[in-house]
Amino acid sequence: MGPATTHPRPPRPPALVPWWRRWFVRTPAPTAPPLQRITADLRRLETEAERLMSDETVVARGQRLMAVRLAYDLALLDACEAVGAPPPTGRVPLTSGDRLLTTVELTRAGLVW
């Protein structure tokens, strides 16, 4: 026979942990930003992109617009991860088609911004 394998024991629910050990139990830190922050970022970046497109007096408008679109694309990827929607197949920066399809998938998943 091979060596015995030990399986890690699943963590106990907090109610079953003795009171004196509760101080030592750590909750896992979140790995992604909260969904409310992601949707606020999407709204803000969308508004900023519209402002840049309409204002002809902005210096280096093209570079600023590229930066805003890149940030918007990254926020879309965070949103896909947060709601479990399929991420776009292309790389960042996304094409306008990938951006549209990702927006449709997020809307289908119930996300509104």
Side-chain angles (χ1 to χ4, degrees):
M1 259 197 212
T5 59
T6 60
H7 298 290
R9 200 172 355 159
R12 293 181 184 179
L16 298 179
V17 175
W19 66 268
W20 52 271
R21 293 202 66 195
R22 289 183 191 161
W23 289 359
F24 303 107
V25 176
R26 292 189 177 154
T27 57
T31 58
L35 194 55
Q36 292 85 0
R37 186 176 134 212
I38 294 171
T39 55
D41 287 346
L42 286 169
R43 271 192 305 271
R44 179 181 54 81
L45 291 167
E46 194 170 47
T47 302
E48 180 65 15
E50 290 172 2
R51 185 189 71 79
L52 286 171
M53 289 297 290
S54 63
D55 189 1
E56 294 182 10
T57 63
V58 175
V59 177
R61 180 172 54 164
Q63 292 173 342
R64 290 182 184 197
L65 189 57
M66 284 176 32
V68 168
R69 283 190 177 154
L70 180 62
Y72 187 81
D73 293 346
L74 293 173
L76 284 177
L77 293 177
D78 285 343
C80 285
E81 184 179 336
V83 299
T89 56
R91 292 183 175 191
V92 174
L94 299 175
T95 63
S96 59
D98 282 343
R99 195 174 293 120
L100 177 65
L101 290 175
T102 304
T103 304
V104 168
E105 288 298 325
L106 289 171
T107 305
R108 271 191 202 148
L111 191 65
V112 178
W113 65 91

